[in-house]
Amino acid sequence: MNALDSFVSDPRIRVRRDDKPSARPRCVVYWMQRSQRGRENPALNVAIDAANALGLPLAVHFGLHPRYPRANARHYAFLLDGIPEAARHVEARGAAFVFRPYPHHSLLRFCEEVAPALVVGDENPLREPESWRDGAARNLRVPFWTVDSDVIVPSCHFDREEYAARTLRPKIRKLLRRYLKPLGRPRCKAAFARSDRPRSAPFDARDLLTTLPLDRSAAPLRRVRGGRAAGLRTLRRFTTSALPRYHEDRNRPDLPGTSRLSAYLHFGQLGPHEVALAVRRARAPREARRAFLEELIVRRELAVNFVARNPRYDRVECGEPWALRTLTRHARDPRERIYSEKALEAGATSDRLWNAAQLEMVATGRMHGYLRMYWAKRLLDWTPTPADAYRVAVELNDRHELDGRDPNGYAGIAWAICGKHDRPWPPERPVLGFIRPMTASGAARKFDVDEYVASVGRAAAREGART
Ligand code: FAD
Protein backbone atom coordinates (compact mmCIF):
# COMPACT_ATOMS: atom_id res chain seq x y z
CA MET A 1 0.00 0.00 0.00
CA ASN A 2 3.00 2.34 -0.31
CA ALA A 3 1.33 4.28 -3.08
CA LEU A 4 -1.34 5.26 -0.56
CA ASP A 5 0.82 6.06 2.47
CA SER A 6 0.86 9.78 1.81
CA PHE A 7 -2.95 10.00 1.90
CA VAL A 8 -3.59 8.87 5.43
CA SER A 9 -1.97 11.85 7.14
CA ASP A 10 -4.85 14.00 5.74
CA PRO A 11 -7.09 14.83 8.77
CA ARG A 12 -10.14 14.60 6.50
CA ILE A 13 -9.46 10.88 5.98
CA ARG A 14 -10.30 8.25 8.58
CA VAL A 15 -8.85 4.80 8.08
CA ARG A 16 -11.63 2.46 9.19
CA ARG A 17 -9.99 -0.71 7.98
CA ASP A 18 -6.29 -0.99 7.34
CA ASP A 19 -6.16 -4.22 5.41
CA LYS A 20 -4.09 -5.65 2.62
CA PRO A 21 -5.53 -4.95 -0.81
CA SER A 22 -6.89 -7.95 -2.67
CA ALA A 23 -4.29 -9.91 -4.64
CA ARG A 24 -5.57 -8.88 -8.05
CA PRO A 25 -7.52 -5.67 -7.60
CA ARG A 26 -9.55 -4.41 -10.54
CA CYS A 27 -10.51 -0.94 -9.37
CA VAL A 28 -11.05 1.48 -6.47
CA VAL A 29 -14.64 1.93 -5.21
CA TYR A 30 -16.12 5.19 -3.94
CA TRP A 31 -19.24 4.42 -1.91
CA MET A 32 -21.23 7.62 -2.47
CA GLN A 33 -23.80 8.11 0.23
CA ARG A 34 -23.95 11.46 2.00
CA SER A 35 -22.02 13.60 -0.52
CA GLN A 36 -24.32 13.14 -3.50
CA ARG A 37 -22.36 15.17 -6.02
CA GLY A 38 -19.80 14.66 -8.75
CA ARG A 39 -18.12 18.03 -8.20
CA GLU A 40 -16.78 19.88 -5.15
CA ASN A 41 -16.63 16.58 -3.29
CA PRO A 42 -13.50 15.87 -1.19
CA ALA A 43 -14.39 12.16 -0.84
CA LEU A 44 -14.63 11.73 -4.62
CA ASN A 45 -11.36 13.65 -5.03
CA VAL A 46 -9.59 11.32 -2.58
CA ALA A 47 -11.00 8.28 -4.38
CA ILE A 48 -9.82 9.58 -7.78
CA ASP A 49 -6.35 10.46 -6.46
CA ALA A 50 -6.04 7.03 -4.81
CA ALA A 51 -7.19 5.24 -7.98
CA ASN A 52 -4.62 7.23 -9.97
CA ALA A 53 -1.89 6.43 -7.45
CA LEU A 54 -2.69 2.73 -7.85
CA GLY A 55 -3.12 2.93 -11.63
CA LEU A 56 -6.70 1.59 -11.35
CA PRO A 57 -10.10 2.75 -12.63
CA LEU A 58 -12.70 4.12 -10.22
CA ALA A 59 -16.26 2.83 -9.75
CA VAL A 60 -18.67 5.11 -7.87
CA HIS A 61 -21.34 2.99 -6.21
CA PHE A 62 -24.70 4.51 -5.27
CA GLY A 63 -26.97 1.95 -3.63
CA LEU A 64 -30.55 3.11 -3.07
CA HIS A 65 -31.95 1.73 0.17
CA PRO A 66 -35.72 2.32 0.47
CA ARG A 67 -35.86 2.20 4.28
CA TYR A 68 -33.37 4.85 5.23
CA PRO A 69 -34.35 5.72 8.81
CA ARG A 70 -37.21 8.25 8.94
CA ALA A 71 -36.94 9.02 5.21
CA ASN A 72 -40.14 9.07 3.17
CA ALA A 73 -41.31 9.66 -0.41
CA ARG A 74 -40.81 13.43 -0.02
CA HIS A 75 -37.12 12.94 0.76
CA TYR A 76 -36.58 10.25 -1.87
CA ALA A 77 -38.08 12.43 -4.61
CA PHE A 78 -35.63 15.23 -3.76
CA LEU A 79 -32.73 12.78 -3.63
CA LEU A 80 -33.64 11.15 -6.96
CA ASP A 81 -33.79 14.57 -8.65
CA GLY A 82 -30.04 14.81 -8.03
CA ILE A 83 -28.88 11.41 -9.27
CA PRO A 84 -28.70 11.90 -13.09
CA GLU A 85 -26.58 15.00 -12.66
CA ALA A 86 -24.29 13.36 -10.09
CA ALA A 87 -23.87 10.47 -12.54
CA ARG A 88 -23.02 12.83 -15.43
CA HIS A 89 -20.45 14.72 -13.39
CA VAL A 90 -18.83 11.53 -12.10
CA GLU A 91 -18.60 10.12 -15.63
CA ALA A 92 -17.14 13.40 -16.91
CA ARG A 93 -14.26 12.85 -14.48
CA GLY A 94 -13.49 9.49 -15.99
CA ALA A 95 -15.08 7.22 -13.33
CA ALA A 96 -17.95 4.75 -13.80
CA PHE A 97 -21.16 5.71 -11.93
CA VAL A 98 -23.02 2.58 -10.85
CA PHE A 99 -26.57 3.03 -9.60
CA ARG A 100 -28.01 -0.01 -7.81
CA PRO A 101 -31.47 0.32 -6.30
CA TYR A 102 -33.03 -2.04 -3.76
CA PRO A 103 -32.88 -5.05 -3.63
CA HIS A 104 -29.46 -4.88 -5.34
CA HIS A 105 -28.07 -2.02 -3.25
CA SER A 106 -25.53 -3.92 -1.14
CA LEU A 107 -22.02 -2.43 -1.11
CA LEU A 108 -20.50 -5.73 0.01
CA ARG A 109 -21.98 -7.63 -2.89
CA PHE A 110 -20.85 -4.93 -5.27
CA CYS A 111 -17.31 -5.24 -3.91
CA GLU A 112 -17.38 -9.02 -4.43
CA GLU A 113 -18.28 -8.30 -8.04
CA VAL A 114 -15.62 -5.66 -8.79
CA ALA A 115 -12.68 -6.69 -6.47
CA PRO A 116 -11.52 -3.25 -5.32
CA ALA A 117 -8.06 -2.47 -3.95
CA LEU A 118 -9.61 0.13 -1.64
CA VAL A 119 -13.07 1.40 -0.72
CA VAL A 120 -13.52 5.10 0.03
CA GLY A 121 -16.71 6.38 1.67
CA ASP A 122 -17.97 9.72 2.91
CA GLU A 123 -18.89 10.58 6.52
CA ASN A 124 -22.23 10.97 8.28
CA PRO A 125 -22.27 11.30 12.07
CA LEU A 126 -25.87 10.10 12.53
CA ARG A 127 -26.30 6.78 14.34
CA GLU A 128 -27.55 4.51 11.56
CA PRO A 129 -25.22 5.61 8.74
CA GLU A 130 -22.34 5.44 11.21
CA SER A 131 -23.34 1.85 12.05
CA TRP A 132 -23.36 1.01 8.31
CA ARG A 133 -19.81 2.35 8.03
CA ASP A 134 -18.84 0.23 11.06
CA GLY A 135 -20.46 -2.79 9.38
CA ALA A 136 -18.54 -2.12 6.16
CA ALA A 137 -15.29 -1.84 8.12
CA ARG A 138 -15.98 -5.22 9.76
CA ASN A 139 -17.06 -7.05 6.64
CA LEU A 140 -14.99 -5.69 3.78
CA ARG A 141 -11.75 -7.55 3.11
CA VAL A 142 -9.85 -4.54 1.75
CA PRO A 143 -8.82 -1.16 3.20
CA PHE A 144 -11.73 1.15 3.90
CA TRP A 145 -11.39 4.91 4.43
CA THR A 146 -14.01 7.56 5.00
CA VAL A 147 -13.57 11.21 4.07
CA ASP A 148 -15.20 14.00 6.09
CA SER A 149 -16.44 15.82 3.04
CA ASP A 150 -19.55 17.70 4.21
CA VAL A 151 -17.89 19.98 6.73
CA ILE A 152 -15.29 22.63 6.12
CA VAL A 153 -13.11 21.87 9.15
CA PRO A 154 -12.80 18.08 9.63
CA SER A 155 -14.67 17.02 12.78
CA CYS A 156 -11.68 15.04 14.10
CA HIS A 157 -10.21 18.37 15.23
CA PHE A 158 -12.96 18.60 17.87
CA ASP A 159 -12.85 15.35 19.79
CA ARG A 160 -15.14 16.40 22.68
CA GLU A 161 -18.67 17.72 22.74
CA GLU A 162 -18.41 21.51 22.48
CA TYR A 163 -20.28 23.50 25.08
CA ALA A 164 -21.50 26.33 22.83
CA ALA A 165 -20.82 28.28 19.66
CA ARG A 166 -18.49 30.49 21.67
CA THR A 167 -16.21 27.54 22.50
CA LEU A 168 -16.11 26.20 18.93
CA ARG A 169 -15.85 29.53 17.07
CA PRO A 170 -12.23 30.39 18.01
CA LYS A 171 -11.08 26.84 17.22
CA ILE A 172 -12.73 26.97 13.80
CA ARG A 173 -11.30 30.41 13.12
CA LYS A 174 -7.76 29.14 13.70
CA LEU A 175 -8.22 26.33 11.18
CA LEU A 176 -10.29 28.06 8.52
CA ARG A 177 -7.37 29.37 6.45
CA ARG A 178 -6.10 25.80 6.15
CA TYR A 179 -9.42 24.26 5.10
CA LEU A 180 -11.53 26.88 3.37
CA LYS A 181 -9.92 26.83 -0.06
CA PRO A 182 -11.15 25.91 -3.52
CA LEU A 183 -11.19 22.14 -4.00
CA GLY A 184 -9.35 20.54 -6.89
CA ARG A 185 -11.04 18.62 -9.69
CA PRO A 186 -8.79 15.61 -10.42
CA ARG A 187 -9.66 13.25 -13.27
CA CYS A 188 -9.24 9.49 -13.44
CA LYS A 189 -6.28 8.37 -15.50
CA ALA A 190 -7.34 4.74 -15.93
CA ALA A 191 -10.68 3.58 -17.31
CA PHE A 192 -12.51 0.25 -17.22
CA ALA A 193 -12.17 -1.96 -20.25
CA ARG A 194 -15.61 -2.21 -21.83
CA SER A 195 -15.96 -5.87 -20.79
CA ASP A 196 -15.00 -5.08 -17.16
CA ARG A 197 -17.16 -2.05 -16.58
CA PRO A 198 -19.69 -2.68 -13.77
CA ARG A 199 -23.26 -2.29 -14.99
CA SER A 200 -25.51 0.45 -13.69
CA ALA A 201 -29.23 -0.24 -13.30
CA PRO A 202 -31.63 1.76 -15.50
CA PHE A 203 -32.71 4.97 -13.76
CA ASP A 204 -36.32 6.10 -13.81
CA ALA A 205 -37.16 8.33 -10.87
CA ARG A 206 -40.92 8.14 -11.34
CA ASP A 207 -40.86 4.37 -11.56
CA LEU A 208 -38.62 4.08 -8.48
CA LEU A 209 -40.89 6.40 -6.50
CA THR A 210 -43.93 4.31 -7.27
CA THR A 211 -42.46 0.81 -6.98
CA LEU A 212 -40.03 1.02 -4.05
CA PRO A 213 -41.47 0.10 -0.63
CA LEU A 214 -41.16 3.65 0.71
CA ASP A 215 -42.73 5.27 3.75
CA ARG A 216 -45.40 7.51 2.20
CA SER A 217 -46.27 9.59 5.26
CA ALA A 218 -45.16 12.78 3.45
CA ALA A 219 -45.74 13.21 -0.26
CA PRO A 220 -43.21 14.55 -2.76
CA LEU A 221 -43.37 18.32 -3.29
CA ARG A 222 -44.53 19.65 -6.61
CA ARG A 223 -42.77 22.99 -6.58
CA VAL A 224 -39.37 22.13 -5.11
CA ARG A 225 -36.67 20.49 -7.21
CA GLY A 226 -33.67 18.72 -5.78
CA GLY A 227 -30.33 18.34 -7.53
CA ARG A 228 -27.16 20.30 -7.97
CA ALA A 229 -28.35 22.61 -10.76
CA ALA A 230 -31.39 23.63 -8.68
CA GLY A 231 -29.10 24.10 -5.65
CA LEU A 232 -26.68 26.30 -7.61
CA ARG A 233 -29.59 28.38 -8.95
CA THR A 234 -30.81 28.85 -5.37
CA LEU A 235 -27.31 29.85 -4.28
CA ARG A 236 -26.96 32.36 -7.13
CA ARG A 237 -30.38 33.86 -6.42
CA PHE A 238 -29.45 34.21 -2.76
CA THR A 239 -26.05 35.83 -3.28
CA THR A 240 -27.49 38.37 -5.71
CA SER A 241 -30.74 39.19 -3.89
CA ALA A 242 -31.12 38.39 -0.16
CA LEU A 243 -27.47 38.09 0.98
CA PRO A 244 -26.76 41.85 1.19
CA ARG A 245 -29.47 42.17 3.88
CA TYR A 246 -29.01 38.74 5.48
CA HIS A 247 -27.77 40.16 8.81
CA GLU A 248 -30.94 42.25 9.08
CA ASP A 249 -33.59 40.05 7.50
CA ARG A 250 -32.71 36.48 8.42
CA ASN A 251 -35.01 36.49 11.46
CA ARG A 252 -37.97 37.86 9.47
CA PRO A 253 -40.23 34.99 8.37
CA ASP A 254 -42.37 37.50 6.48
CA LEU A 255 -39.46 38.19 4.06
CA PRO A 256 -37.43 35.96 1.74
CA GLY A 257 -34.31 36.76 3.77
CA THR A 258 -32.43 33.45 3.99
CA SER A 259 -30.72 31.16 1.49
CA ARG A 260 -33.05 28.12 1.45
CA LEU A 261 -29.98 25.97 0.88
CA SER A 262 -30.37 23.57 3.81
CA ALA A 263 -31.96 20.69 1.85
CA TYR A 264 -29.27 20.85 -0.87
CA LEU A 265 -26.62 20.76 1.86
CA HIS A 266 -28.43 17.98 3.71
CA PHE A 267 -28.44 15.71 0.64
CA GLY A 268 -24.87 16.69 -0.23
CA GLN A 269 -25.98 18.01 -3.62
CA LEU A 270 -24.03 21.15 -2.70
CA GLY A 271 -20.99 21.14 -0.43
CA PRO A 272 -20.25 23.71 2.27
CA HIS A 273 -16.94 24.79 0.66
CA GLU A 274 -18.51 26.03 -2.54
CA VAL A 275 -21.31 27.81 -0.67
CA ALA A 276 -18.89 29.52 1.73
CA LEU A 277 -16.56 30.58 -1.08
CA ALA A 278 -19.43 31.94 -3.18
CA VAL A 279 -20.62 34.01 -0.22
CA ARG A 280 -17.10 35.25 0.52
CA ARG A 281 -16.76 36.42 -3.09
CA ALA A 282 -20.24 37.96 -3.30
CA ARG A 283 -20.88 41.70 -3.44
CA ALA A 284 -22.50 42.17 -0.05
CA PRO A 285 -21.67 44.08 3.13
CA ARG A 286 -19.13 42.42 5.42
CA GLU A 287 -21.69 42.04 8.26
CA ALA A 288 -24.02 40.14 5.92
CA ARG A 289 -21.33 37.71 4.73
CA ARG A 290 -20.08 37.27 8.25
CA ALA A 291 -23.55 36.54 9.66
CA PHE A 292 -24.17 33.94 6.95
CA LEU A 293 -20.80 32.21 7.43
CA GLU A 294 -21.48 32.05 11.17
CA GLU A 295 -24.60 29.93 10.43
CA LEU A 296 -23.09 27.88 7.61
CA ILE A 297 -19.80 27.11 9.33
CA VAL A 298 -19.92 27.65 13.12
CA ARG A 299 -23.56 26.67 13.81
CA ARG A 300 -23.66 23.88 11.25
CA GLU A 301 -20.38 22.35 12.39
CA LEU A 302 -21.41 22.78 16.03
CA ALA A 303 -24.44 20.63 15.17
CA VAL A 304 -22.20 17.98 13.58
CA ASN A 305 -19.99 18.02 16.70
CA PHE A 306 -23.08 17.60 18.92
CA VAL A 307 -24.40 14.60 17.01
CA ALA A 308 -20.99 12.98 16.63
CA ARG A 309 -20.12 13.33 20.33
CA ASN A 310 -23.48 12.99 22.09
CA PRO A 311 -25.02 9.54 21.46
CA ARG A 312 -28.38 10.66 22.93
CA TYR A 313 -28.82 13.47 20.39
CA ASP A 314 -32.40 12.49 19.46
CA ARG A 315 -33.71 12.22 23.04
CA VAL A 316 -34.24 14.84 25.70
CA GLU A 317 -31.55 13.20 27.83
CA CYS A 318 -28.96 14.84 25.55
CA GLY A 319 -29.76 18.18 27.26
CA GLU A 320 -27.54 20.26 29.48
CA PRO A 321 -27.54 19.17 33.17
CA TRP A 322 -28.92 22.55 34.32
CA ALA A 323 -31.72 22.26 31.73
CA LEU A 324 -32.65 18.70 32.68
CA ARG A 325 -32.72 19.74 36.37
CA THR A 326 -35.01 22.68 35.73
CA LEU A 327 -37.31 20.67 33.44
CA THR A 328 -37.55 17.93 36.09
CA ARG A 329 -38.39 20.47 38.77
CA HIS A 330 -41.31 21.66 36.63
CA ALA A 331 -42.38 18.24 35.41
CA ARG A 332 -45.67 18.40 37.35
CA ASP A 333 -46.60 21.96 36.43
CA PRO A 334 -49.99 22.07 34.70
CA ARG A 335 -49.59 22.37 30.89
CA GLU A 336 -51.52 25.00 28.92
CA ARG A 337 -53.31 22.17 27.13
CA ILE A 338 -52.39 18.70 25.89
CA TYR A 339 -52.80 18.12 22.15
CA SER A 340 -52.55 14.73 20.48
CA GLU A 341 -49.72 14.25 18.02
CA LYS A 342 -52.34 14.11 15.28
CA ALA A 343 -53.78 17.50 16.24
CA LEU A 344 -50.28 18.95 16.34
CA GLU A 345 -49.42 17.50 12.95
CA ALA A 346 -52.63 18.99 11.53
CA GLY A 347 -51.74 22.42 12.96
CA ALA A 348 -54.98 22.46 14.95
CA THR A 349 -53.90 24.34 18.08
CA SER A 350 -55.15 27.59 19.54
CA ASP A 351 -52.00 29.41 18.35
CA ARG A 352 -52.41 30.91 14.89
CA LEU A 353 -48.70 31.59 14.38
CA TRP A 354 -47.74 28.05 15.40
CA ASN A 355 -50.39 26.56 13.14
CA ALA A 356 -49.09 28.59 10.19
CA ALA A 357 -45.53 27.44 10.85
CA GLN A 358 -46.72 23.83 11.05
CA LEU A 359 -48.67 24.22 7.80
CA GLU A 360 -45.61 25.75 6.13
CA MET A 361 -43.62 22.66 7.10
CA VAL A 362 -46.23 20.10 6.07
CA ALA A 363 -47.20 21.79 2.81
CA THR A 364 -43.87 23.19 1.58
CA GLY A 365 -41.24 21.00 3.28
CA ARG A 366 -39.57 23.89 5.05
CA MET A 367 -40.17 26.20 7.99
CA HIS A 368 -38.42 29.50 8.50
CA GLY A 369 -35.49 29.19 10.95
CA TYR A 370 -36.82 31.77 13.41
CA LEU A 371 -40.13 29.96 13.66
CA ARG A 372 -38.49 26.57 14.10
CA MET A 373 -37.27 27.82 17.49
CA TYR A 374 -40.70 29.05 18.55
CA TRP A 375 -42.38 25.96 17.11
CA ALA A 376 -40.25 23.52 19.13
CA LYS A 377 -40.52 25.48 22.39
CA ARG A 378 -44.31 25.59 22.24
CA LEU A 379 -44.37 21.79 22.31
CA LEU A 380 -43.27 21.98 25.94
CA ASP A 381 -46.62 23.66 26.75
CA TRP A 382 -48.70 21.10 24.87
CA THR A 383 -47.24 17.67 25.61
CA PRO A 384 -47.24 15.77 28.93
CA THR A 385 -43.45 15.73 29.47
CA PRO A 386 -40.30 17.30 27.99
CA ALA A 387 -39.41 13.83 26.67
CA ASP A 388 -42.71 13.82 24.73
CA ALA A 389 -42.06 17.35 23.44
CA TYR A 390 -38.65 16.26 22.17
CA ARG A 391 -39.99 13.07 20.60
CA VAL A 392 -42.84 14.87 18.80
CA ALA A 393 -40.47 17.61 17.57
CA VAL A 394 -38.12 15.00 16.10
CA GLU A 395 -40.98 13.02 14.53
CA LEU A 396 -42.63 16.00 12.83
CA ASN A 397 -39.41 17.75 11.84
CA ASP A 398 -37.90 14.61 10.34
CA ARG A 399 -41.07 13.58 8.55
CA HIS A 400 -41.99 16.85 6.86
CA GLU A 401 -38.88 19.04 6.55
CA LEU A 402 -36.93 18.37 3.36
CA ASP A 403 -33.79 19.07 5.37
CA GLY A 404 -34.96 16.85 8.27
CA ARG A 405 -32.95 13.94 9.70
CA ASP A 406 -29.95 16.24 9.86
CA PRO A 407 -27.54 17.11 12.69
CA ASN A 408 -28.83 20.70 12.45
CA GLY A 409 -32.34 19.47 13.29
CA TYR A 410 -31.30 17.55 16.41
CA ALA A 411 -29.11 20.45 17.57
CA GLY A 412 -31.94 22.93 16.94
CA ILE A 413 -34.47 20.85 18.86
CA ALA A 414 -32.00 20.29 21.70
CA TRP A 415 -31.34 24.03 21.84
CA ALA A 416 -35.04 24.87 21.94
CA ILE A 417 -36.18 22.23 24.42
CA CYS A 418 -33.28 21.26 26.67
CA GLY A 419 -30.78 24.09 26.74
CA LYS A 420 -28.12 22.68 24.39
CA HIS A 421 -25.54 25.33 23.46
CA ASP A 422 -27.61 27.84 25.48
CA ARG A 423 -27.62 29.18 29.05
CA PRO A 424 -30.24 29.49 31.81
CA TRP A 425 -32.72 32.34 31.30
CA PRO A 426 -34.04 33.65 34.65
CA PRO A 427 -36.59 34.35 35.99
CA GLU A 428 -37.87 30.83 36.51
CA ARG A 429 -41.18 30.21 34.69
CA PRO A 430 -43.87 27.54 34.92
CA VAL A 431 -43.17 24.48 32.75
CA LEU A 432 -40.02 25.98 31.17
CA GLY A 433 -38.13 26.67 34.41
CA PHE A 434 -34.93 28.36 33.23
CA ILE A 435 -35.26 27.35 29.55
CA ARG A 436 -35.18 30.42 27.29
CA PRO A 437 -38.77 31.45 26.50
CA MET A 438 -40.14 32.63 23.15
CA THR A 439 -43.60 34.11 22.82
CA ALA A 440 -46.05 35.03 20.09
CA SER A 441 -46.01 38.65 21.29
CA GLY A 442 -42.20 38.67 20.99
CA ALA A 443 -42.55 37.34 17.44
CA ALA A 444 -45.09 40.05 16.60
CA ARG A 445 -42.56 42.71 17.64
CA LYS A 446 -39.97 41.25 15.24
CA PHE A 447 -41.99 40.71 12.07
CA ASP A 448 -45.36 41.09 10.39
CA VAL A 449 -47.22 38.00 11.61
CA ASP A 450 -50.28 38.64 9.41
CA GLU A 451 -48.11 38.84 6.31
CA TYR A 452 -46.32 35.62 7.30
CA VAL A 453 -49.60 33.74 7.90
CA ALA A 454 -50.98 34.97 4.57
CA SER A 455 -47.78 34.02 2.74
CA VAL A 456 -47.96 30.48 4.13
CA GLY A 457 -51.56 30.23 2.92
CA ARG A 458 -50.46 31.27 -0.57
CA ALA A 459 -47.48 28.88 -0.62
CA ALA A 460 -49.62 25.99 0.63
CA ALA A 461 -52.27 26.73 -2.01
CA ARG A 462 -49.58 26.68 -4.72
CA GLU A 463 -48.47 23.27 -3.45
CA GLY A 464 -52.08 22.16 -3.55
CA ALA A 465 -52.46 21.66 0.21
CA ARG A 466 -55.59 22.39 2.21
CA THR A 467 -55.25 25.67 4.12
P1 FAD B 1 -29.82 30.15 6.19
O1 FAD B 1 -30.19 31.12 7.26
O2 FAD B 1 -29.69 30.68 4.83
O3 FAD B 1 -28.44 29.49 6.67
C1 FAD B 1 -27.50 28.92 5.76
C2 FAD B 1 -27.16 27.51 6.20
O4 FAD B 1 -26.53 27.53 7.49
C3 FAD B 1 -28.37 26.62 6.34
O5 FAD B 1 -28.76 26.07 5.11
C4 FAD B 1 -27.88 25.58 7.33
O6 FAD B 1 -27.12 24.58 6.72
C5 FAD B 1 -26.96 26.40 8.25
N1 FAD B 1 -27.71 26.87 9.42
C6 FAD B 1 -28.55 27.92 9.51
N2 FAD B 1 -29.06 28.04 10.76
C7 FAD B 1 -28.51 27.02 11.47
C8 FAD B 1 -28.63 26.59 12.81
N3 FAD B 1 -29.41 27.25 13.70
N4 FAD B 1 -27.96 25.50 13.21
C9 FAD B 1 -27.18 24.83 12.34
N5 FAD B 1 -27.01 25.19 11.06
C10 FAD B 1 -27.67 26.27 10.62
N6 FAD B 1 -31.64 22.70 9.91
C11 FAD B 1 -31.57 21.68 9.03
O7 FAD B 1 -30.73 21.70 8.13
N7 FAD B 1 -32.39 20.59 9.18
C12 FAD B 1 -33.33 20.50 10.16
O8 FAD B 1 -34.05 19.51 10.26
C13 FAD B 1 -33.44 21.58 11.07
N8 FAD B 1 -34.37 21.57 12.06
C14 FAD B 1 -34.38 22.56 12.99
C15 FAD B 1 -35.27 22.46 14.07
C16 FAD B 1 -35.30 23.43 15.06
C17 FAD B 1 -36.26 23.31 16.21
C18 FAD B 1 -34.41 24.53 14.96
C19 FAD B 1 -34.41 25.61 16.02
C20 FAD B 1 -33.52 24.65 13.89
C21 FAD B 1 -33.49 23.66 12.90
N9 FAD B 1 -32.59 23.74 11.81
C22 FAD B 1 -32.54 22.69 10.92
C23 FAD B 1 -31.60 24.83 11.70
C24 FAD B 1 -32.05 26.05 10.84
O9 FAD B 1 -33.29 26.51 11.27
C25 FAD B 1 -32.11 25.69 9.35
O10 FAD B 1 -30.86 25.15 8.94
C26 FAD B 1 -32.39 26.93 8.49
O11 FAD B 1 -33.59 27.52 8.89
C27 FAD B 1 -32.46 26.50 7.03
O12 FAD B 1 -32.87 27.56 6.21
P2 FAD B 1 -31.85 28.29 5.23
O13 FAD B 1 -31.10 27.28 4.43
O14 FAD B 1 -32.61 29.33 4.51
O15 FAD B 1 -30.83 28.92 6.28
Side-chain angles (χ1 to χ4, degrees):
M1 288 299 278
N2 288 346
L4 300 181
D5 282 351
S6 63
F7 285 78
V8 297
S9 57
D10 179 347
R12 212 174 274 288
I13 299 179
R14 175 167 166 200
V15 177
R16 298 207 179 223
R17 186 181 179 101
D18 189 10
D19 217 333
K20 288 210 170 59
S22 49
R24 295 177 57 196
R26 291 182 11 224
C27 64
V28 166
V29 165
Y30 167 35
W31 178 25
M32 180 185 278
Q33 211 188 46
R34 163 90 176 77
S35 310
Q36 296 167 18
R37 56 192 185 274
R39 290 184 180 161
E40 302 291 327
N41 178 346
L44 176 60
N45 286 2
V46 167
I48 293 177
D49 286 339
N52 288 344
L54 293 168
L56 291 168
L58 176 69
V60 176
H61 174 262
F62 192 92
L64 187 70
H65 187 309
R67 296 207 182 84
Y68 195 95
R70 297 198 177 112
N72 55 49
R74 170 169 293 186
H75 305 117
Y76 280 97
F78 194 89
L79 176 155
L80 290 170
D81 279 345
I83 298 298
E85 207 178 1
R88 262 200 322 280
H89 290 165
V90 162
E91 297 274 342
R93 296 178 69 182
F97 187 86
V98 185
F99 174 71
R100 296 278 170 94
Y102 169 86
H104 307 292
H105 58 285
S106 158
L107 171 74
L108 294 178
R109 249 178 270 145
F110 180 68
C111 289
E112 282 164 20
E113 184 186 322
V114 299
L118 161 76
V119 176
V120 176
D122 37 45
E123 280 285 0
N124 186 334
L126 297 182
R127 190 176 300 117
E128 295 86 354
E130 174 60 21
S131 75
W132 300 342
R133 283 157 181 75
D134 277 352
R138 273 196 310 280
N139 296 314
L140 284 167
R141 291 287 164 262
V142 293
F144 174 44
W145 305 346
T146 48
V147 183
D148 208 0
S149 52
D150 284 276
V151 286
I152 290 173
V153 179
S155 4
C156 67
H157 284 294
F158 318 118
D159 56 1
R160 301 231 178 104
E161 188 183 349
E162 292 291 330
Y163 190 67
R166 70 170 187 284
T167 63
L168 183 63
R169 193 177 298 113
K171 296 179 191 166
I172 286 195
R173 251 189 218 150
K174 268 197 209 142
L175 292 163
L176 213 49
R177 192 187 288 262
R178 177 166 166 203
Y179 290 110
L180 183 51
K181 315 192 257 221
L183 301 173
R185 200 184 284 183
R187 269 188 61 89
C188 295
K189 292 184 181 145
F192 283 99
R194 190 180 275 246
S195 56
D196 254 9
R197 194 189 152 96
R199 276 216 310 277
S200 192
F203 180 88
D204 179 337
R206 195 175 290 190
D207 182 56
L208 288 162
L209 277 176
T210 44
T211 56
L212 285 174
L214 304 178
D215 167 1
R216 299 188 188 275
S217 55
L221 296 165
R222 284 200 265 152
R223 296 180 59 86
V224 186
R225 281 282 156 270
R228 193 169 163 75
L232 287 173
R233 273 198 304 278
T234 308
L235 174 60
R236 248 188 322 272
R237 202 177 315 124
F238 172 64
T239 51
T240 52
S241 58
L243 176 62
R245 290 187 51 82
Y246 182 80
H247 55 306
E248 304 197 325
D249 291 351
R250 75 195 152 103
N251 282 334
R252 300 267 319 251
D254 54 336
L255 298 175
T258 69
S259 71
R260 299 179 170 234
L261 287 171
S262 52
Y264 301 101
L265 287 162
H266 169 80
F267 285 92
Q269 296 167 344
L270 295 185
H273 285 83
E274 56 188 322
V275 175
L277 291 172
V279 165
R280 266 202 174 168
R281 281 194 306 267
R283 290 166 67 113
R286 196 148 176 257
E287 313 88 274
R289 285 180 287 143
R290 202 191 246 172
F292 182 83
L293 294 174
E294 165 74 12
E295 300 302 324
L296 176 75
I297 305 176
V298 177
R299 297 284 165 174
R300 186 168 176 275
E301 298 191 6
L302 181 64
V304 170
N305 166 268
F306 163 58
V307 165
R309 310 290 175 217
N310 189 326
R312 292 170 296 188
Y313 60 80
D314 52 357
R315 302 201 304 272
V316 75
E317 290 82 6
C318 71
E320 287 305 312
W322 65 263
L324 297 180
R325 272 196 307 276
T326 201
L327 288 170
T328 305
R329 206 163 38 238
H330 291 271
R332 288 170 190 278
D333 291 0
R335 268 50 186 166
E336 182 185 309
R337 181 171 170 182
I338 302 296
Y339 290 103
S340 68
E341 196 173 325
K342 230 171 162 186
L344 292 168
E345 186 165 27
T349 74
S350 54
D351 179 337
R352 180 172 83 107
L353 177 58
W354 195 93
N355 295 345
Q358 173 66 21
L359 174 65
E360 183 181 21
M361 175 168 86
V362 170
T364 72
R366 79 178 289 273
M367 186 193 294
H368 190 280
Y370 178 82
L371 285 171
R372 294 195 203 208
M373 302 188 267
Y374 175 72
W375 172 86
K377 283 179 182 291
R378 282 298 263 154
L379 293 171
L380 281 168
D381 297 321
W382 296 335
T383 51
T385 66
D388 292 316
Y390 204 99
R391 181 181 52 72
V392 171
V394 168
E395 284 288 325
L396 297 180
N397 186 82
D398 284 358
R399 183 176 309 145
H400 296 288
E401 299 281 19
L402 265 181
D403 63 16
R405 310 167 298 114
D406 189 278
N408 289 351
Y410 303 113
I413 292 167
W415 175 88
I417 291 181
C418 52
K420 185 56 61 184
H421 307 144
D422 205 4
R423 63 172 175 82
W425 280 77
E428 198 165 2
R429 295 169 177 82
V431 181
L432 293 180
F434 289 117
I435 300 290
R436 182 199 297 242
M438 281 178 80
T439 60
S441 53
R445 283 194 295 275
K446 276 193 182 290
F447 65 93
D448 182 343
V449 171
D450 289 339
E451 170 49 30
Y452 168 70
V453 172
S455 73
V456 170
R458 291 191 296 271
R462 283 195 298 270
E463 262 299 335
R466 276 182 298 121
T467 59

